[in-house]
Amino acid sequence: MLYQREIDDSVLIQFIILFTLAQADKPLAYNELLNVVLDNCNINYNDFQIALDNLVTTGHARTRLEGQHNQIYSLTQKGENAGDFFKSNIPVYIREPIEESIKALFLEERRKNAVRAGITPVRRGEYAAECALYDDDKTQLMSVTLYAGTREQAEKIAEYFKENSGMIYESILKCMTEKTDG
């Protein structure tokens, strides 16, 4: 929910930008940074731009050009230290929506990285499929290696796991936890 009062304190705006970059844990494109901050805080665009430029000028943030028009922003060590120190100066009703927006921003990427499958050679002409499933926090939920024989069969198993990992995990969990009669 957008904080309704306009934030016009230039120092607080800089803290908010530092906090946002720190929460991302990876460089953010200008449009991502702009959207996360302005969607969650009532900040004038010009005030945002001045604060961002000031952070780059003072060495708290760095920028690089990726492609022709995609400006990427990240924290320097100085910015990380300042962000950690001044994090408590940002009210919780501003911090929490920014944290949620950052999580949502990288949700698809985390989901894509949560399912991993590949093939490995076992012996000459023989292969296995290695499949693993992770949660959002990079905790491994499941790992299985299946002997497949041929490379083609190993590739089919890996691809099937990528497309059906949720159902496979659920089935294995069900098989391992249900009691059987007799």
Side-chain angles (χ1 to χ4, degrees):
M1 180 176 171
L2 178 67
Y3 176 63
Q4 296 302 314
R5 277 190 52 216
E6 183 173 355
I7 301 169
D8 56 3
D9 179 352
S10 62
V11 174
L12 180 58
I13 295 170
Q14 290 179 64
F15 292 161
I16 291 169
I17 294 170
L18 286 174
F19 175 75
T20 303
L21 288 170
Q23 289 303 301
D25 253 356
K26 67 179 241 179
L28 287 177
Y30 176 77
N31 63 335
E32 294 171 333
L33 178 60
L34 180 71
N35 290 338
V36 168
V37 173
L38 296 188
D39 286 352
N40 293 292
C41 304
N42 192 2
I43 296 174
N44 178 294
Y45 173 79
N46 290 330
D47 291 341
F48 169 83
Q49 192 59 52
I50 290 168
L52 182 59
D53 290 342
N54 190 49
L55 288 171
V56 172
T57 302
T58 59
H60 290 88
R62 72 174 69 80
T63 183
R64 63 180 164 76
L65 193 60
E66 190 174 87
Q68 284 185 311
H69 304 288
N70 197 15
Q71 206 68 26
I72 305 293
Y73 289 87
S74 60
L75 288 179
T76 62
Q77 187 62 49
K78 184 178 177 181
E80 287 179 30
N81 295 341
D84 288 342
F85 188 74
F86 293 111
K87 178 180 177 179
S88 61
N89 291 16
I90 303 169
V92 70
Y93 51 83
I94 293 174
R95 282 195 318 251
E96 286 179 351
I98 289 173
E99 289 170 338
E100 291 304 313
S101 290
I102 292 293
K103 283 181 187 176
L105 184 65
F106 297 116
L107 181 62
E108 188 59 36
E109 184 178 329
R110 285 194 310 271
R111 284 184 179 158
K112 197 183 327 176
N113 293 333
V115 179
R116 300 177 191 164
I119 63 170
T120 57
V122 175
R123 289 190 262 320
R124 186 179 184 131
E126 297 178 2
Y127 296 85
E130 292 185 348
C131 307
L133 185 63
Y134 294 82
D135 72 356
D136 284 344
D137 297 323
K138 306 291 185 226
T139 302
Q140 190 175 58
L141 300 175
M142 178 180 76
S143 175
V144 63
T145 302
L146 299 169
Y147 175 79
T150 66
R151 180 181 185 89
E152 293 77 26
Q153 188 63 31
E155 288 172 350
K156 284 180 185 178
I157 292 170
E159 192 59 37
Y160 186 83
F161 183 80
K162 286 179 185 177
E163 294 171 3
N164 301 287
S165 60
M167 184 267 305
I168 293 169
Y169 178 70
E170 187 178 312
S171 298
I172 289 174
L173 194 58
K174 184 177 177 182
C175 288
M176 302 292 284
T177 58
E178 281 188 354
K179 292 184 180 181
T180 59
D181 293 331

